[in-house]
């Protein structure tokens, strides 16, 4: 069964009852899945990642011992730290905790990214296209949070907070893209879902 055709017909029935912003988002994702502009780069990157001599580490990165991908578990560290830092930025008396949380979140990015790339390397084209946009959003988030940490360490807390808000927005977009990839994977595995 062509899962894309299934999803498109399901999407058109579902989007009729959605808020216009949701309809716009789903339409944008559908266009992203169909666009072949980045395919040459995607193929090169996927081949390169699959060719890395990782041995059993690849299975561990993909979460095979647990029976599900490890990437969604690992992203909880940066997301949780950064969301907590945002909350502490708002409440009085947060002190140095937001700076520490921002730094710990940045430290947690590497394991999550490595696991994510290991998963992404085996995705079919439609998912890989959205997955690449997910990765680009993550790079933007990391850049925002690195700028936030730098500002905080240089005793510019207001700038640090503003950079952090930009990072949180990028994380939200990235999470929505990553969620779509995961949903598409689940539907592709079970079209009746």
């Amino acid at each position: 069964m062509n899962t894309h055709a299934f999803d498109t017909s399901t999407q058109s029935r579902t989007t009729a009852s959605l808020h216009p912003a949701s309809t716009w988002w789903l339409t944008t994702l559908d266009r992203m899945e169909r666009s072949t502009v980045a395919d040459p780069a995607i193929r090169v990157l996927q081949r390169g990642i699959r060719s890395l001599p990782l041995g059993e580490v690849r299975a561990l990165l993909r979460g095979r011992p647990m029976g599900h991908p490890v990437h969604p578990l690992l992203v909880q560290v940066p997301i949780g730290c950064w969301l907590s830092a945002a909350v502490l930025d708002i409440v009085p008396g947060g002190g140095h905790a937001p700076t520490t949380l921002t730094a710990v979140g940045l430290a947690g990015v590497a394991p999550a990214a490595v696991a994510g790339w290991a998963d992404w390397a085996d995705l079919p084209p439609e998912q890989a296209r959205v997955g690449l946009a997910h990765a680009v959003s993550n790079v933007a988030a990391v850049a925002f949070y690195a700028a936030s940490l730098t500002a905080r360490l240089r005793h510019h807390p207001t700038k640090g907070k503003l950079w952090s808000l930009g990072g949180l927005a990028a994380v939200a977009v990235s999470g929505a893209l990553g969620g779509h990839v995961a949903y598409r994977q689940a539907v592709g595995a079970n079209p009746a879902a």
Side-chain angles (χ1 to χ4, degrees):
M1 174 184 245
N2 181 338
T3 58
H4 187 72
F6 171 82
D7 291 338
T8 303
S9 65
T10 301
Q11 179 179 333
S12 63
R13 286 194 307 266
T14 306
T15 55
S17 63
L18 293 177
H19 187 277
S22 296
T23 301
W24 173 85
W25 178 251
L26 292 173
T27 302
T28 300
L29 290 171
D30 186 57
R31 286 185 184 140
M32 193 180 299
E33 286 179 337
R34 292 174 190 224
S35 174
T36 59
V37 172
D39 284 2
I42 288 171
R43 282 191 294 273
V44 169
L45 282 169
Q46 284 184 319
R47 265 194 308 267
I49 292 167
R50 285 192 304 260
S51 70
L52 293 173
L54 299 176
E56 290 300 312
V57 173
R58 185 179 311 276
L60 185 63
L61 288 171
R62 304 268 337 262
R64 288 199 182 111
M66 296 185 313
H68 57 80
V70 73
H71 174 70
L73 298 172
L74 294 175
V75 299
Q76 300 309 308
V77 173
I79 292 171
C81 287
W82 295 336
L83 183 57
S84 298
V87 170
L88 292 176
D89 277 341
I90 295 170
V91 300
H96 296 291
T99 302
T100 302
L101 287 166
T102 300
V104 172
L106 285 167
V109 166
V114 171
W117 283 113
D119 287 339
W120 179 82
D122 292 324
L123 291 178
E126 292 84 6
Q127 289 173 272
R129 293 170 189 142
V130 177
L132 187 59
H134 169 71
V136 169
S137 296
N138 285 332
V139 168
V142 169
F144 279 120
Y145 279 107
S148 173
L149 182 60
T150 300
R152 291 170 192 273
L153 292 174
R154 291 182 178 167
H155 307 290
H156 300 291
T158 303
K159 284 183 181 179
K161 290 175 185 180
L162 291 173
W163 282 114
S164 180
L165 288 175
L168 203 54
V171 166
V173 171
S174 176
L177 291 165
H180 182 77
V181 171
Y183 174 75
R184 175 69 78 192
Q185 208 167 4
V187 170
N190 181 9

